[in-house]
Amino acid sequence: MQMGVSTVLGFLQYWMADMVNLPGCLCPETAVSMAMVPLLIGAALCSALGGYLSDRWKRRKPFVFSAALVMFIAAGIVASVPNYYVAIAVALTFGVCFGLYVSVDFALVMDVLPKDTDRAKDLAVWHQALVLPQLLATPVAGFILDGVQGAPLPGHPGMLGCSIGLGYIVVFVITSLYFFLSSVFVLKIRKVR
């Protein structure tokens, strides 16, 4: 999950600058800032709602699974539709799902910790599992983007990969796979419903 989130946030501005026809006089920095507004509002509202509903229904996995699955679809849309207004709608959807995922995922972690006496140690290990993907996401995606974006495609003169945004397509497809794997892995947890 964190690998996907870090990739989306790290490359959104570059994607908008390179691939999206921005409306009016919007520069990529402003466009990303405007896309962050619905994302953050959606995340804030749904984290509170998701946490409340998860506690009330005593269920964790359906919330985490469905949020990761929708984020998988959202990243796939970004990969295939370089349109600013679609990006705003996807940002809202992404924010809603990210808020839901994070709030309930934290609760899920607390539910599966093995012993009360080792909570700090166990949370430190979990924190490393959050930080390491953030450390790796940008260089991995950057390497993929540079390798694919500027590569000539067989049978096409020049760098068609750059003109069609092939590097961004590959990066966001891989990002969608990170989200998909997050949804699958949560199903393997046996201690919680």
Side-chain angles (χ1 to χ4, degrees):
M1 174 58 68
Q2 292 304 319
M3 194 88 161
V5 170
S6 295
T7 302
V8 168
L9 294 178
F11 285 86
L12 191 59
Q13 180 176 328
Y14 301 120
W15 173 74
M16 284 199 183
D18 293 345
M19 301 310 304
V20 177
N21 291 326
L22 297 173
C25 296
L26 281 182
C27 65
E29 297 83 2
T30 303
V32 170
S33 296
M34 290 174 64
M36 288 294 119
V37 172
L39 187 148
L40 294 172
I41 291 170
L45 294 175
C46 283
S47 64
L49 179 63
Y52 170 77
L53 291 175
S54 176
D55 284 344
R56 183 174 175 137
W57 295 339
K58 299 188 184 334
R59 305 278 299 206
R60 306 277 191 237
K61 290 199 294 190
F63 290 95
V64 174
F65 174 80
S66 60
L69 198 58
V70 173
M71 291 170 79
F72 156 71
I73 294 166
I77 291 170
V78 169
S80 59
V81 184
N83 178 286
Y84 181 70
Y85 298 107
V86 171
I88 294 293
V90 168
L92 175 61
T93 304
F94 190 86
V96 164
C97 293
F98 183 66
L100 180 64
Y101 182 94
V102 170
S103 66
V104 180
D105 187 50
F106 283 20
L108 187 143
V109 167
M110 297 306 291
D111 290 346
V112 299
L113 290 177
K115 294 185 222 172
D116 288 345
T117 57
D118 292 334
R119 286 198 185 252
K121 176 187 64 107
D122 292 336
L123 285 174
V125 171
W126 178 64
H127 185 261
Q128 292 306 311
L130 293 174
V131 172
L132 183 60
Q134 293 176 32
L135 176 71
L136 297 174
T138 302
V140 167
F143 178 75
I144 292 167
L145 180 65
D146 288 346
V148 175
Q149 192 77 347
L153 294 177
H156 294 89
M159 292 203 236
L160 181 63
C162 183
S163 64
I164 64 170
L166 187 60
Y168 289 104
I169 293 168
V170 171
V171 164
F172 285 116
V173 166
I174 291 171
T175 300
S176 71
L177 292 176
Y178 297 150
F179 295 129
F180 179 75
L181 290 173
S182 296
S183 70
V184 170
F185 291 150
V186 79
L187 293 177
K188 302 292 183 187
I189 299 171
R190 293 200 167 113
K191 193 174 177 181
V192 295
R193 296 178 23 181

